Amino acid sequence: MRSIRRMTPGSWIGLLVMLVISIMAFYPFYSMLIMSTYQSNDLYTSIKLLPGNYLGENFKTLFSIDFLAYYKNSIIVAISTTVLGVLVSAAAGFAFGKYKFRFKNVLFVSVLLTMMIPMQFGIVAFVIEMRWFGWLDTLLPLIIPPAANAFGVFWMTQFARSTIPDEVMESARIDGCGETSIFFKIVLPFLRPAFITLGLLFFLWSWNSFFVPLIVLSTDSLYTIPLGIRGLAGQFRADSAAQILGLTIGTIPVLVFFAIFSKNLIEGLASSAVKG
Amino acid sequence: MNSLTKARKAQRWAPYFFVSPFFLIFGLFSLFPILFTLYISLTDWSLNGASNFIGFGNYAEVLQDSRFYDALLNTVIFMIMIIPPQIIIALFISVLLTSGKVPFVGAFRLINFLPYITTSVAVGLIFGILFDWNFGTVNTLLQNLGVSQEKINWLGQPGPARIVVSLVTVWKYFGYTAVMFLVGITGISRQLYEASDLDGATKIQQFRYITLPMLRPVMLFVVMTTMIGCFQIFDEPYMLFTGMGSSLIGGPEGSALTGTWLIYDNVFGSLSRFGYGSAIAYVLFLFICMVSFVTFRMMNKGEEE
């Protein structure tokens, strides 16, 4: 990074424009933090730039509903999906990246094509299927189906292809290592950087998911955060400030993860994705 | 010798074993529902009701449903209102951040990525308050700056409502798109730029003749996924228009009704018409396939010239 003192006029203009765009990107996010400290009625009176003094009350409202249960559900769902999704993607990516086998190209192209088909097209049958399985109003439809993610497979394939040396696999085989233990003992450590990036994305998608939970969940105590917070509007009164506080607290885990791993995420994406 | 052939055999079966979890879950929960939806679309299946095969009856009804045309029109309008600004802003940012002229690249990257990580429910709720008719920040700001005398009823009129939905969507995804472009630009060989520097090319010429053409694959990816995304728009407008007490299904005069919302309303809203909802899904599916195909052809054609 160049130092500020050596900046040319052109860089100053660039910096200024970047600042303006960033403020616009940040302002709604900032107002989310600020709004959670006001009384709902005050949200509609003037532009708020500084925190208010209603945070405690909003916390009380928030905990008068089953907010901790929503949090717990979100954590269960997001972590399970992330672990399962990363493993499923890594296994498939490893196979596509490091083996030659019949139908490989057909299968891989079908993975790429499915990246273009949103699940909304099959949502009606999906719900009927969930009813058959007895999975309606459980957390399972939020955990298992999202674990098979075409983007994840594509991404792991790119990564596996470029990072796992054939020689290491061969020498493991000569030492009598089976294919499954090659996967768990050799491949998984090599794929670690990819795990972090993909894991973050899986976690994010799952944590913020709204459409499917809205459709499959009907018991209040099973709600995830976005759904539970939405329910708060109907429960006794439309308390926007308390809702926003809930969403702020709900955003914190993702924010912390991203702050810690943002370098990994962006460099991770840069290392392989999209280039295809 | 025996153990070696056994090992080679294992090696032959291993890839199928490794891809099977993905295809099993994918087949069961994505592929099967999509195919089964086609069958359901040919029945009059509704909640708890028996299903009778009725052929193309649902399809005939879809083609006469004015709300279906609303959703189709809205999807196209959103494509026009969302894709160009999102791409221009994202390109601009990514070029600026890779130029090496702007400091604090990491911080800017993170801040512009923040909207993408924010729950759509929060996004809908916050923009709903910012764009409130009477006391929202946006109207206050526009009046203070003297841009408009009248307060704009952002969420109550079709035109402004579409503007808000587009703004929200662009706001949420431009940072993500910028990362895609960043990835693409980082992948372009430095030598191309150095060579053109020697030939005396300006920055703008470099952008026009090196960066843009080399970004074509990323551009194609971004345009296609954003187009399909326009059909899926649901969470944010759902919160904007049905979040705080009101229940404007599809927004004012159906101006924010998208494919996903239309399916949701027919199947999970008041009506529970599985068969009819499935038919809508399939007509929209065909429509999106057609639009994607045409776009793909158009964008690839440019390359041949």
Side-chain angles (χ1 to χ4, degrees):
Chain A
M1 189 181 297
R2 55 169 52 204
S3 84
I4 294 192
R5 265 177 298 158
R6 283 194 292 128
M7 281 174 61
T8 60
S11 325
W12 279 109
I13 295 172
L15 180 62
L16 203 71
V17 173
M18 227 27 253
L19 276 175
V20 171
I21 294 177
S22 298
I23 287 170
M24 292 203 291
F26 191 64
Y27 177 71
F29 194 85
Y30 178 74
S31 25
M32 175 171 84
L33 304 180
I34 292 299
M35 282 173 184
S36 55
T37 63
Y38 281 89
Q39 198 173 355
S40 285
N41 298 332
D42 291 340
L43 294 182
Y44 295 95
T45 48
S46 63
I47 297 175
K48 303 276 183 300
L49 290 175
L50 295 171
N53 55 5
Y54 211 67
L55 184 65
E57 289 297 313
N58 286 336
F59 261 112
K60 270 185 211 157
T61 313
L62 197 60
F63 284 102
S64 71
I65 60 163
D66 224 357
F67 184 70
L68 284 179
Y70 305 152
Y71 222 95
K72 194 191 79 195
N73 295 332
S74 275
I75 288 175
I76 293 173
V77 169
I79 289 183
S80 322
T81 309
T82 304
V83 172
L84 196 63
V86 165
L87 278 177
V88 168
S89 307
F94 170 50
F96 283 125
K98 298 309 288 182
Y99 286 93
K100 289 195 179 77
F101 56 101
R102 273 186 71 166
F103 309 121
K104 175 172 151 173
N105 287 337
V106 181
L107 289 177
F108 192 63
V109 169
S110 73
V111 170
L112 293 186
L113 281 178
T114 55
M115 271 166 81
M116 290 288 169
I117 305 174
M119 60 85 61
Q120 274 90 339
F121 287 120
I123 192 69
V124 181
F126 178 80
V127 169
I128 292 170
E129 194 186 6
M130 290 301 109
R131 209 166 61 178
W132 290 342
F133 282 25
W135 283 13
L136 276 189
D137 215 17
T138 72
L139 296 179
L140 286 171
L142 313 183
I143 295 174
I144 314 242
N149 184 294
F151 174 80
V153 173
F154 170 68
W155 206 77
M156 281 292 185
T157 305
Q158 303 282 88
F159 203 87
R161 191 182 286 146
S162 60
T163 50
I164 302 167
D166 289 327
E167 302 79 40
V168 179
M169 280 169 64
E170 273 308 318
S171 54
R173 282 192 189 115
I174 291 166
D175 292 345
C177 198
E179 301 300 314
T180 340
S181 36
I182 288 182
F183 176 67
F184 282 105
K185 287 185 187 143
I186 296 169
V187 174
L188 289 191
F190 266 108
L191 294 179
R192 237 184 73 169
F195 271 27
I196 296 175
T197 311
L198 194 61
L200 272 174
L201 288 175
F202 266 110
F203 190 89
L204 176 71
W205 293 329
S206 175
W207 189 263
N208 287 346
S209 153
F210 178 65
F211 186 66
V212 177
L214 180 69
I215 288 167
V216 300
L217 297 180
S218 48
T219 305
D220 187 63
S221 62
L222 285 173
Y223 283 1
T224 51
I225 293 174
L227 206 57
I229 298 296
R230 193 200 125 68
L232 183 61
Q235 213 154 16
F236 30 108
R237 65 202 163 101
D239 196 336
S240 319
Q243 280 181 297
I244 291 171
L245 176 64
L247 292 166
T248 307
I249 303 174
T251 311
I252 288 171
V254 208
L255 187 65
V256 170
F257 281 152
F258 272 81
I260 297 172
F261 294 115
S262 80
K263 223 176 147 61
N264 288 70
L265 177 80
I266 294 174
E267 272 166 19
L269 283 171
S271 71
S272 61
V274 198
K275 276 184 197 168
Chain B
M1 188 65 203
N2 193 23
S3 75
L4 195 68
T5 45
K6 212 172 140 195
R8 290 290 160 217
K9 218 173 193 172
Q11 213 176 316
R12 203 166 341 128
W13 285 106
Y16 299 105
F17 174 72
F18 288 129
V19 295
S20 55
F22 172 81
F23 283 101
L24 199 70
I25 299 177
F26 180 81
L28 203 54
F29 300 112
S30 295
L31 190 63
F32 171 74
I34 286 173
L35 296 177
F36 191 50
T37 298
L38 182 61
Y39 167 75
I40 298 172
S41 73
L42 302 172
T43 70
D44 63 357
W45 202 334
S46 62
L47 189 71
N48 303 324
S51 78
N52 302 303
F53 191 82
I54 56 164
F56 289 96
N58 288 323
Y59 288 88
E61 196 183 335
V62 171
L63 295 176
Q64 287 171 353
D65 186 345
S66 67
R67 293 214 306 162
F68 166 74
Y69 291 101
D70 282 346
L72 216 55
L73 181 71
N74 289 332
T75 305
V76 174
I77 290 177
F78 283 136
M79 284 177 190
I80 297 167
M81 288 175 72
I82 290 169
I83 299 175
Q86 185 166 317
I87 285 183
I88 291 168
I89 298 173
L91 257 183
F92 189 79
I93 292 175
S94 52
V95 169
L96 215 55
L97 290 185
T98 48
S99 67
K101 301 216 159 176
V102 177
F104 317 122
V105 171
F108 282 132
R109 235 165 26 180
L110 184 63
I111 290 173
N112 289 307
F113 205 73
L114 276 186
Y116 184 70
I117 70 170
T118 313
T119 322
S120 46
V121 173
V123 175
L125 203 60
I126 292 158
F127 275 81
I129 294 171
L130 295 180
F131 280 89
D132 182 70
W133 187 0
N134 283 315
F135 306 107
T137 306
V138 176
N139 271 346
T140 314
L141 209 65
L142 287 179
Q143 280 191 315
N144 288 350
L145 293 173
V147 178
S148 74
Q149 301 303 314
E150 297 266 306
K151 284 182 166 159
I152 300 169
N153 186 3
W154 290 105
L155 300 175
Q157 295 171 302
R162 285 200 188 103
I163 294 177
V164 175
V165 173
S166 311
L167 268 175
V168 171
T169 314
V170 172
W171 177 79
K172 188 156 185 213
Y173 293 100
F174 81 89
Y176 182 76
T177 310
V179 170
M180 295 293 153
F181 285 136
L182 267 170
V183 172
I185 293 175
T186 322
I188 300 172
S189 159
R190 302 311 309 165
Q191 289 173 340
L192 285 174
Y193 292 103
E194 282 159 16
S196 66
D197 269 336
L198 288 178
D199 291 340
T202 63
K203 291 285 166 208
I204 291 169
Q205 283 173 327
Q206 287 184 343
F207 175 75
R208 169 72 187 81
Y209 295 106
I210 301 175
T211 314
L212 266 189
M214 296 299 280
L215 276 182
R216 193 183 292 276
V218 185
M219 189 69 86
L220 193 68
F221 176 80
V222 167
V223 170
M224 301 279 271
T225 47
T226 315
M227 265 174 28
I228 296 168
C230 288
F231 147 85
Q232 293 170 273
I233 292 173
F234 175 80
D235 299 8
E236 291 88 358
Y238 185 76
M239 283 308 291
L240 277 173
F241 300 112
T242 73
M244 286 158 288
S246 62
S247 58
L248 266 174
I249 290 166
E253 296 170 37
S255 56
L257 190 72
T258 55
T260 301
W261 202 345
L262 185 62
I263 298 170
Y264 175 81
D265 191 48
N266 272 291
V267 178
F268 310 103
S270 43
L271 302 161
S272 298
R273 294 182 66 191
F274 293 152
Y276 188 58
S278 302
I280 295 173
Y282 258 85
V283 183
L284 282 166
F285 185 48
L286 285 178
F287 173 74
I288 296 283
C289 286
M290 238 165 52
V291 176
S292 307
F293 181 73
V294 171
T295 314
F296 186 79
R297 285 293 293 268
M298 269 166 54
M299 288 185 69
N300 261 357
K301 206 175 173 185
E303 191 165 32
E304 284 154 22
E305 278 166 8

